[in-house]
């Protein structure tokens, strides 16, 4: 009897020992995909995965000399999106981690309801992705776009593909917005447009920079585009800090600019904070421009989705005061 009790006690003690699943991944066996591009040409989907090299992830290595490139570009192609992702994972000996994805760049050839539905389904069913990353559209060659040189040889932190920082802030469009664009009625989305431009001199050679020149949007199922050159007030509406622009042959300069928006009681309020003074005609100019865009099926602030009459746009200006130093 004592022997049976001893055996039972031993069994219970073994069952009480906590079991730990050894499911961690060594960080040396994993790389973070910071940006991703998708293209569709010649009946093939191509994926570009922009992976920041490990040494740039350390603050101690920031701005240190190195012969290595700041990022590695991994590509794969197939006739379906699912298979293209499978080949991407299978092409490397480390785990590709998409949980830190900052941006996704879609080539204009990729934009169609059929392909977008496949992409939405893939990302929605994989736990690696967090759908808060920003979405851009471009008509540039993705291979060139993902391989441009940046000012720093050692860090791509201030890279529009990773974490974009600029004095001129642009409108952010997330993957959640993209889902709403294709699944919600009357939901209007503007996608920042990426362009390449040879405007940098480096070691007496021309260099290429990446910048935002306007926005793409879908109208009646067709992809259209409006640029800052077409409508400079878009540049104003999505800007921060100091800004100068020309509109209807008039020059405007605003300092310490910031814009806040909110909706209340079927009205849309746009608050303009600035140190600059401007008259009522400038507020009328903003409102009339927004109404004109709305009438041309460019619903900048999604008024139709929220059932707000564009005539109920209210522009409020708040003058910032200069902070006095102690």
């Amino acid at each position: 009897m004592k022997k049976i009790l001893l055996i039972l006690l031993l069994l219970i003690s073994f069952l009480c020992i906590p079991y730990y699943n050894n499911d961690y991944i060594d960080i040396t066996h994993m790389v973070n995909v910071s940006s991703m591009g998708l293209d569709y040409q010649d009946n093939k989907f191509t994926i570009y995965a922009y992976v920041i090299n490990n040494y740039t992830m350390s603050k101690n290595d920031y701005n240190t000399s190195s012969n290595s490139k700041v990022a590695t570009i991994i590509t794969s192609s197939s006739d379906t999106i699912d298979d293209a992702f499978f080949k991407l994972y299978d092409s490397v000996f480390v785990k590709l981690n998409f949980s830190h994805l900052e941006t996704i760049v879609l080539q204009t050839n990729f934009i169609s309801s059929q392909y977008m539905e496949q992409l939405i389904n893939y990302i929605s069913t994989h736990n690696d992705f967090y759908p808060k990353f920003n979405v851009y559209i471009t008509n540039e060659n993705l291979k060139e776009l993902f391989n441009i040189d940046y000012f720093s040889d050692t860090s791509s932190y201030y890279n529009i593909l990773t974490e974009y920082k600029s004095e001129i802030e642009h409108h952010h469009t997330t993957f959640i917005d993209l889902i709403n664009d294709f699944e919600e009625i009357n939901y209007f989305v503007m996608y920042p447009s990426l362009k390449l431009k040879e405007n940098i001199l480096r070691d007496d050679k021309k260099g290429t920079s990446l910048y935002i020149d306007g926005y793409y949007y879908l109208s009646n199922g067709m992809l259209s585009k409006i640029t800052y050159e077409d409508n400079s007030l878009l540049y104003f509406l999505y800007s921060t800090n100091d800004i100068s622009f020309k509109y209807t042959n008039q020059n405007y300069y605003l300092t310490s600019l910031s814009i806040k928006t909110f909706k209340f009681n079927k009205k849309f309020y746009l608050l303009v904070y600035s140190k600059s003074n401007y008259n009522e005609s400038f507020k009328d100019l903003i409102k009339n421009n927004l109404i004109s865009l709305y009438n041309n099926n460019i619903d900048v602030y999604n008024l139709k989705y929220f059932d707000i009459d564009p005539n109920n746009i209210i522009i409020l200006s708040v003058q910032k005061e200069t902070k006095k130093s102690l």
Side-chain angles (χ1 to χ4, degrees), residues 22-32 54 93-97:
N22 188 19
D23 59 355
Y24 78 93
I25 299 174
D26 190 329
I27 60 171
T28 59
H29 298 155
M30 178 180 69
V31 290
N32 294 321
N54 286 337
F93 293 101
V94 293
K95 175 179 171 56
L96 294 178
N97 178 28

Side-chain angles (χ1 to χ4, degrees), residues 8 15 51 91 120 162 192 311:
L8 286 172
L15 289 172
V51 179
S91 65
I120 290 170
T162 53
N311 293 302

Side-chain angles (χ1 to χ4, degrees), residues 81-92:
I81 290 179
D82 283 41
D83 196 46
F85 271 105
F86 176 79
K87 287 184 177 180
L88 190 73
Y89 284 108
D90 196 48
S91 65
V92 292

Side-chain angles (χ1 to χ4, degrees), residues 9 74 143 150 168 215 222 260 280 293 299:
L9 286 171
I74 305 167
K143 184 177 180 181
Y150 293 93
I168 303 301
Y215 301 91
M222 299 294 293
K260 307 291 183 185
E280 290 295 318
L293 288 169
D299 191 358

Side-chain angles (χ1 to χ4, degrees), residues 5 17 81 100 109 132 142 162 196 209 211 237 291 301:
L5 287 173
I17 296 174
I81 290 179
H100 293 280
N109 291 334
K132 291 185 178 180
L142 288 183
T162 53
L196 295 175
S209 68
Y211 72 105
L237 291 171
I291 293 174
Y301 290 113

Side-chain angles (χ1 to χ4, degrees), residues 89-312:
Y89 284 108
D90 196 48
S91 65
V92 292
F93 293 101
V94 293
K95 175 179 171 56
L96 294 178
N97 178 28
F98 286 91
S99 64
H100 293 280
L101 189 70
E102 296 285 345
T103 57
I104 185 169
V105 184
L106 304 176
Q107 224 282 342
T108 51
N109 291 334
F110 183 84
I111 306 300
S112 79
S113 57
Q114 178 186 356
Y115 307 151
M116 298 309 301
E117 185 178 357
Q118 290 184 43
L119 179 63
I120 290 170
N121 288 339
Y122 184 89
I123 290 180
S124 300
T125 55
H126 285 74
N127 295 330
D128 277 357
F129 293 89
Y130 294 97
K132 291 185 178 180
F133 52 82
N134 292 328
V135 180
Y136 301 93
I137 294 179
T138 187
N139 64 352
E140 302 284 0
N141 182 294
L142 288 183
K143 184 177 180 181
E144 293 179 11
L145 187 147
F146 278 93
N147 279 285
I148 66 172
D149 292 327
Y150 293 93
F151 291 108
S152 172
D153 289 326
T154 59
S155 176
S156 57
Y157 180 74
Y158 289 106
N159 176 341
I160 200 170
L161 298 174
T162 53
E163 186 171 347
Y164 179 58
K165 302 288 184 182
S166 171
E167 289 184 358
I168 303 301
E169 188 63 85
H170 65 87
H171 168 72
H172 290 281
T173 299
T174 67
F175 191 70
I176 295 173
D177 293 319
L178 184 149
I179 293 173
N180 289 333
D181 193 13
F182 281 85
E183 296 187 357
E184 293 285 344
I185 298 174
N186 291 332
Y187 196 91
F188 184 84
V189 175
M190 299 181 72
Y191 302 90
S193 164
L194 292 183
K195 291 291 291 182
L196 295 175
K197 188 175 183 180
E198 282 193 348
N199 61 346
I200 296 174
L201 281 177
R202 186 174 182 179
D203 299 329
D204 295 326
K205 295 180 182 179
K206 280 189 176 180
T208 304
S209 68
L210 188 60
Y211 72 105
I212 294 167
D213 71 328
Y215 301 91
Y216 283 98
Y217 61 94
L218 289 166
S219 178
N220 298 321
M222 299 294 293
L223 187 65
S224 301
K225 181 179 177 180
I226 183 170
T227 67
Y228 289 140
E229 190 174 334
D230 297 328
N231 190 311
S232 57
L233 267 182
L234 280 178
Y235 187 71
F236 158 78
L237 291 171
Y238 294 135
S239 300
T240 58
N241 296 323
D242 298 346
I243 177 175
S244 58
F245 65 98
K246 190 173 185 178
Y247 192 78
T248 59
N249 296 321
Q250 293 186 53
N251 292 315
Y252 293 94
Y253 178 67
L254 298 173
T255 59
S256 300
L257 172 68
S258 61
I259 294 177
K260 307 291 183 185
T261 63
F262 66 92
K263 306 166 189 70
F264 178 72
N265 198 22
K266 293 291 184 178
K267 290 182 173 62
F268 179 82
Y269 295 85
L270 191 148
L271 281 70
V272 181
Y273 295 85
S274 175
K275 290 181 182 177
S276 308
N277 289 316
Y278 53 90
N279 54 35
E280 290 295 318
S281 64
F282 183 64
K283 291 193 285 185
D284 292 336
L285 179 69
I286 298 170
K287 181 174 180 177
N288 292 335
N289 184 259
L290 288 172
I291 293 174
S292 176
L293 288 169
Y294 180 91
N295 291 334
N296 284 284
N297 298 318
I298 304 175
D299 191 358
V300 177
Y301 290 113
N302 246 316
L303 302 179
K304 186 179 291 184
Y305 182 76
F306 293 103
D307 193 25
I308 296 175
D309 189 314
N311 293 302
N312 287 335

